[in-house]
């Protein structure tokens, strides 16, 4: 018998009313691009895909859609429990005619559990909710258990990118990543994490500068 407690995603699942056009796409397009139930075979989702990438907590889908448009031969998976964000992302997929995006509208841990070993080439965790109060740190997305699962699904040489504009969350993530077997941080100088990577897509959310420091980008490689 399964003894694991049920997964819980913290934060709002829905805030404001979803716009009519987005609501219509949630009914028509989302079922077509939603990740299927059960074990997931990325090859089956997009035969001929060069690689599979995952964005965890894609917000409004701006970055996910831009990366998918840049690399149409890559299968882009996205996970987001916030319904307004999913609605926004589906609109981006529709407007840009993206055929290489699949969405999991729920907790990413449910999705990762169903992915095979060494199936991902890249993972993005960009500006997740910082939960700055110490008593809420257990709600942070980045935990040792998640990092261990990401190591499992990343292929050798696969990359994990974390970005935040909250200094404490950067320190929190770096501490846990460095003690996760299989993850390597190759930064050699400050510019390696203080400057946006060449392939980064800046979003409107990032431009709001809601944190307490300039954005920091941590790129890890699976050994």
């Amino acid at each position: 018998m399964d003894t694991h407690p049920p997964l819980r995603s913290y934060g709002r699942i829905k805030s404001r009313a979803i716009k009519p056009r987005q609501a219509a796409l949630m009914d028509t397009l989302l079922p077509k691009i939603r990740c299927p139930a059960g074990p997931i075979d990325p090859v089956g989702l997009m035969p001929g895909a060069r690689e599979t990438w995952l964005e965890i907590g894609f917000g409004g889908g701006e970055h996910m859609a831009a990366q998918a448009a840049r690399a149409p031969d890559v299968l882009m998976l996205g996970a987001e429990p916030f319904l307004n964000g999913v609605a926004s992302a589906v609109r981006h997929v529709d407007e840009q005619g993206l055929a290489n995006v699949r969405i999991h509208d729920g907790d990413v841990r449910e999705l990762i559990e169903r992915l095979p070993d060494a199936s991902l080439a890249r993972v993005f965790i960009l500006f997740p909710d910082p939960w700055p109060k110490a008593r809420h740190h257990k709600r942070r997305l980045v935990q040792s258990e998640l990092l261990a699962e990401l190591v499992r699904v990343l292929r050798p040489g696969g990359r994990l990118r974390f970005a935040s504009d909250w200094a404490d969350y950067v320190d929190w993530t770096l501490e846990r990543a460095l003690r996760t077997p299989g993850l390597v941080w190759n930064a050699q100088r400050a510019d390696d994490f203080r400057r946006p990577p060449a392939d980064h897509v800046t979003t409107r959310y990032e431009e709001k500068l809601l944190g307490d420091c300039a954005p920091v980008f941590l790129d890890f490689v699976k050994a």
Side-chain angles (χ1 to χ4, degrees):
M1 183 174 66
D2 186 2
T3 59
H4 293 291
L7 295 176
R8 179 178 178 186
S9 299
Y10 292 96
R12 301 171 301 168
I13 298 302
K14 181 181 177 182
S15 61
R16 62 191 181 279
I18 296 174
K19 297 177 181 178
R21 179 167 176 269
Q22 294 181 3
L25 290 172
M26 292 279 278
D27 291 335
T28 58
L29 180 56
L30 180 58
K32 298 177 183 178
I33 63 174
R34 178 182 278 128
C35 292
I40 292 177
D41 175 14
V43 176
L45 288 181
M46 184 178 166
R50 173 172 57 87
E51 295 178 344
T52 302
W53 300 355
L54 168 65
E55 181 162 351
I56 299 175
F58 55 68
E62 199 176 343
H63 175 272
M64 177 178 67
Q67 293 287 2
R70 286 179 175 179
D73 59 343
V74 166
L75 171 62
M76 175 66 75
L77 305 178
E80 174 61 63
F82 186 41
L83 294 182
N84 296 79
V86 174
S88 174
V90 173
R91 175 180 61 83
H92 284 299
V93 171
D94 180 63
E95 290 179 349
Q96 299 182 44
L98 302 173
N100 58 329
V101 174
R102 300 293 181 271
I103 289 176
H104 174 69
D105 49 330
D107 194 301
V108 71
R109 294 169 294 177
E110 300 169 342
L111 177 66
I112 293 172
E113 286 178 355
R114 297 186 280 123
L115 287 171
D117 295 355
S119 56
L120 301 181
R122 300 195 70 180
V123 176
F124 300 93
I125 304 176
L126 305 179
F127 303 95
D129 194 322
W131 293 106
K133 295 181 180 179
R135 68 177 184 271
H136 291 155
H137 284 180
K138 63 183 179 182
R139 300 183 179 185
R140 286 176 167 175
L141 172 67
V142 176
Q143 303 289 344
S144 297
E145 296 80 5
L146 176 68
L147 293 173
E149 271 293 277
L150 291 179
V151 169
R152 179 185 68 81
V153 296
L154 277 169
R155 72 187 190 187
R159 291 176 287 165
L160 165 63
R161 174 172 297 161
F162 171 89
S164 179
D165 52 5
W166 286 86
D168 177 69
Y169 204 176
V170 172
D171 292 342
W172 167 281
T173 299
L174 187 57
E175 177 187 351
R176 281 153 183 78
L178 290 178
R179 70 186 189 211
T180 299
L183 282 184
V184 177
W185 188 43
N186 288 324
Q188 301 295 320
R189 55 189 184 276
D191 279 356
D192 291 340
F193 54 87
R194 288 180 178 168
R195 292 181 179 273
D199 63 347
H200 176 62
V201 177
T202 301
T203 65
R204 287 172 293 177
Y205 178 85
E206 180 184 344
E207 290 174 341
K208 292 179 180 179
L209 301 175
L210 299 176
D212 60 3
C213 69
V216 176
F217 299 86
L218 305 178
D219 275 2
F220 303 96
V221 178
K222 178 179 175 178

